[in-house]
C-alpha cells in the first residue's frame, strides 16, 4: 500500500481551504443561555478550563472534522448546548472547590506556633450540612431539567415536510444507504440537502444492522446512535452548511471496526436534486466495455453486488450501479482512484484484511477488463 494515500491524508486534504468550518452558526437557545454577565463569566471559565474547547478555539484543523464542539446540524447544536452547560457547571464547581481547597491549604497550613494546638472542631452544624446538601441537589435538578429538554427536543422531533428519508444498514464493515422514496441505493457516503433559514430539509435515518451491533456517529451532525440487529433505531440530522462531514462506526464490530468510515456530503440548495437525478440514471451500455462486462458477469462478483438493470443482483456487498460517484473504496479506506480500484479488485484483503470480499484470483488481463468496466459505472 506504499504509494496509496491513506484515508487520514485524504480527509485533511478534502477539508483544507474550507474556511466555513470555523464559523459555527448562531443558535438562539445557546445565546439566550450565555448572554449577560453570569453566563459570559461561566463560558469564559469553561473555555479556560477545557482543553478540548481550547482546541476548538485555536483553529487547529486536525481537530475540526470530528470536533463535537463545532456542530453544524440542529441536533448536534442541541447536544453541544447541553454539554456546554454541564461542562460550565462542572468547571465552576471545580474552580470553587479547588479554590477553597488551595486557600485552606495555604491559609491554615501548619505553623511552628501551632505545635501543640488542635484546630477548632465543628460538629452538627445545620448551616454547613444544609449547604452541602441543598446546593448539589439544586445543581443536579438544573442539569436533569436541561438534559431532559435536550433529549425531548432531539428524540421527540417530528419530520417536517421536505424531510429526506434514508435507511442505513450497518454491515461488517461498510454502510448500506437506501433512499426508499427515491429508489436509490448507495454505500458509505450519505448525500443530503442543506437546511437554510425558511427551508428545512432534515434527513431522518432508520438504522438497521445486517449482522452485529454497530453505531452511526458523525460528530458534527448528531449524537451517536447504536445500530442493533433485529431492531430499528431512528435518528436525524439537519446540516446547516454544505460540505463533507466525516464520522465512523462507534461500536466495536470486529476486525475492521476502525475502518468503517462514514462520509456525509451536504449539498448546497438545489444540488441534491442533481445528485438524485444522476443516481437514478441506469448504467451506460457501451459496446466497447463488453469485454469487461463479460469478465465481470462471468465471476461470482454478481452474487454479492447489484448493478441496476443487469443480472448482478447480489445483496451482500455494496451496490455498484454508481460506484464511481463515490469518493472512497472500502468504506473510506482509500480514495476511489483507478490504481486503488485495481488494487482493491485484485486483492481486497491486502487493503482491508478481514473484509468479506474475497480475492477473485483474476488474471491481469481480466483484472484490467473488470476495472475498465467498473470505472464506467459513473
Ligand atoms: Cu461497525 Cu464498528
Amino acid at each position: 500500500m506504499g504509494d496509496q494515500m491513506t484515508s487520514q491524508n485524504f480527509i485533511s486534504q478534502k477539508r483544507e481551504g474550507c474556511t466555513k468550518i470555523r464559523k459555527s452558526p448562531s443558535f438562539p437557545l445557546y445565546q439566550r443561555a450565555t448572554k449577560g454577565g453570569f453566563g459570559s463569566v461561566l463560558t469564559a471559565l469553561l473555555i479556560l478550563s477545557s482543553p478540548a474547547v481550547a482546541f476548538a478555539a485555536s483553529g487547529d484543523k486536525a481537530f475540526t472534522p470530528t470536533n463535537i464542539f463545532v456542530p453544524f446540524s440542529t441536533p448536534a447544536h442541541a447536544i453541544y448546548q447541553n454539554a456546554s452547560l454541564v461542562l460550565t457547571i462542572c468547571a465552576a464547581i471545580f474552580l470553587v472547590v479547588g479554590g477553597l481547597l488551595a486557600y485552606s491549604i495555604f491559609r491554615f497550613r501548619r505553623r511552628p506556633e501551632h505545635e501543640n494546638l488542635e484546630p477548632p472542631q465543628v460538629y452538627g452544624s445545620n448551616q454547613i450540612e444544609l449547604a452541602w446538601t441543598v446546593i448539589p441537589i439544586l445543581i443536579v435538578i438544573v442539569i436533569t431539567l436541561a438534559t431532559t429538554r435536550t433529549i425531548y427536543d432531539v428524540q421527540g422531533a417530528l419530520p417536517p415536510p421536505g424531510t429526506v428519508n434514508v435507511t442505513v444498514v450497518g454491515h461488517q464493515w461498510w454502510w448500506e444507504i437506501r433512499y426508499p422514496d427515491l429508489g436509490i441505493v448507495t454505500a458509505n457516503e450519505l448525500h443530503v440537502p442543506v437546511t437554510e433559514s425558511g427551508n428545512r430539509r432534515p434527513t431522518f435515518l432508520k438504522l438497521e444492522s445486517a449482522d452485529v451491533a454497530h453505531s452511526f456517529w458523525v460528530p458534527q451532525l448528531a449524537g451517536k446512535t447504536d445500530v442493533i440487529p433485529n431492531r430499528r433505531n431512528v435518528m436525524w440530522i439537519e446540516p446547516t452548511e454544505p460540505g463533507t462531514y466525516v464520522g465512523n462506526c462507534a461500536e466495536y464490530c470486529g476486525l475492521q471496526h476502525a475502518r468503517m468510515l462514514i462520509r456525509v456530503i451536504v449539498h448546497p440548495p438545489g444540488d441534491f436534486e442533481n445528485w438524485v437525478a444522476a443516481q437514478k440514471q441506469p448504467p451506460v451500455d457501451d459496446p466497447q466495455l463488453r469485454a469487461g462486462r463479460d469478465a465481470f458477469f462471468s465471476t461470482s462478483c454478481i452474487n454479492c453486488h447489484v448493478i441496476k438493470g443487469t443480472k448482478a443482483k447480489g445483496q451482500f456487498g455494496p451496490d455498484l450501479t454508481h460506484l464511481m460517484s463515490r469518493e472512497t473504496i472500502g468504506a473510506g479506506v482509500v480514495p476511489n482512484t483507478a490504481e486503488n480500484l485495481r488494487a482493491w479488485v485484485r486483492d481486497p484483503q491486502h487493503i482491508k484484511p478481514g473484509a468479506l470480499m474475497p480475492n477473485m484470483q483474476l488474471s491481469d488481463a481480466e483484472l484490467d477488463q473488470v476495472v475498465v468496466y467498473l470505472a464506467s459505472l459513473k
Side-chain angles (χ1 to χ4, degrees):
M1 269 225 297
D3 53 348
Q4 281 152 5
M5 204 182 349
T6 65
S7 56
Q8 207 83 46
N9 295 339
F10 186 50
I11 286 167
S12 51
Q13 197 186 50
K14 292 296 282 187
R15 294 302 253 170
E16 249 162 48
C18 180
T19 49
K20 279 176 187 154
I21 195 77
R22 303 295 338 137
K23 171 169 65 78
S24 195
S26 64
F27 191 66
L29 284 172
Y30 181 64
Q31 283 171 344
R32 181 151 33 93
T34 56
K35 210 170 264 175
F38 188 57
S40 313
V41 171
L42 286 185
T43 308
L45 290 178
L46 170 66
I47 286 171
L48 288 174
S49 61
S50 162
V53 173
F55 265 122
S58 73
D60 186 332
K61 271 203 165 20
F63 276 79
T64 51
T66 52
N67 190 342
I68 59 167
F69 294 101
V70 190
F72 281 98
S73 165
T74 310
H77 267 299
I79 294 167
Y80 167 70
Q81 179 202 21
N82 193 51
S84 299
L85 175 72
V86 174
L87 282 173
T88 306
I89 290 173
C90 292
I93 293 172
F94 173 78
L95 287 179
V96 169
V97 173
L100 286 174
L101 186 65
Y103 171 78
S104 307
I105 289 171
F106 179 77
R107 173 73 178 76
F108 302 107
R109 68 191 183 279
R110 188 173 180 171
R111 293 171 202 215
E113 64 268 29
H114 297 156
E115 203 52 59
N116 296 314
L117 291 177
E118 250 192 10
Q121 304 294 306
V122 182
Y123 295 106
S125 161
N126 285 343
Q127 288 103 317
I128 293 175
E129 287 178 10
L130 272 175
W132 75 44
T133 308
V134 172
I135 294 173
I137 287 176
L138 290 178
I139 292 171
V140 170
I141 288 174
V142 166
I143 291 178
T144 305
L145 290 178
T147 305
T148 307
R149 187 179 67 178
T150 305
I151 292 172
Y152 183 81
D153 285 349
V154 173
Q155 295 193 347
L158 294 172
T163 295
V164 177
N165 290 303
V166 174
T167 302
V168 175
V169 186
H171 293 256
Q172 284 175 315
W173 292 275
W174 60 282
W175 302 95
E176 178 182 345
I177 296 168
R178 316 184 74 95
Y179 296 75
D181 307 337
L182 303 171
I184 293 172
V185 181
T186 183
N188 304 319
E189 297 176 8
L190 172 62
H191 288 252
V192 300
V194 72
T195 276
E196 305 166 287
S197 54
N199 183 20
R200 291 190 64 194
R201 299 293 307 276
T203 300
F204 275 63
L205 308 173
K206 293 192 177 91
L207 302 175
E208 297 170 3
S209 169
D211 36 50
V212 299
H214 304 271
S215 185
F216 187 93
W217 193 31
V218 181
Q220 289 185 309
L221 300 184
K224 67 179 77 153
T225 306
D226 282 354
V227 181
I228 308 290
N230 299 316
R231 192 188 152 85
R232 179 177 277 183
N233 281 342
V234 180
M235 66 176 288
W236 59 290
I237 57 174
E238 189 179 21
T240 49
E241 294 271 338
T244 298
Y245 299 85
V246 292
N248 52 285
C249 180
E251 175 80 34
Y252 181 70
C253 55
L255 191 61
Q256 289 293 347
H257 152 70
R259 288 160 135 198
M260 191 170 163
L261 307 180
I262 307 157
R263 305 171 85 74
V264 180
I265 293 99
V266 179
H267 290 265
D271 195 43
F272 177 69
E273 283 65 32
N274 297 338
W275 178 81
V276 169
Q279 293 289 310
K280 283 185 164 180
Q281 295 294 318
V284 190
D285 192 8
D286 183 344
Q288 293 196 311
L289 300 166
R290 274 286 145 76
R293 239 187 92 122
D294 293 348
F296 183 84
F297 286 109
S298 65
T299 66
S300 49
C301 304
I302 57 171
N303 294 337
C304 291
H305 294 286
V306 169
I307 297 176
K308 256 192 220 146
T310 72
K311 60 179 176 177
K313 290 186 169 38
Q315 295 291 330
F316 296 108
D319 187 307
L320 300 180
T321 312
H322 295 282
L323 171 67
M324 298 315 288
S325 71
R326 304 205 275 263
E327 292 173 0
T328 69
I329 306 173
V333 175
V334 286
N336 190 1
T337 63
E339 301 126 83
N340 286 342
L341 185 58
R342 194 173 194 280
W344 176 268
V345 177
R346 179 203 291 275
D347 185 10
Q349 304 300 316
H350 180 67
I351 295 178
K352 196 169 179 179
L356 298 187
M357 175 166 161
N359 180 340
M360 299 305 294
Q361 314 285 347
L362 300 179
S363 69
D364 272 0
E366 287 171 322
L367 189 60
D368 288 338
Q369 290 168 342
V370 166
V371 170
V372 166
Y373 173 60
L374 291 178
S376 76
L377 301 172
K378 301 238 160 59

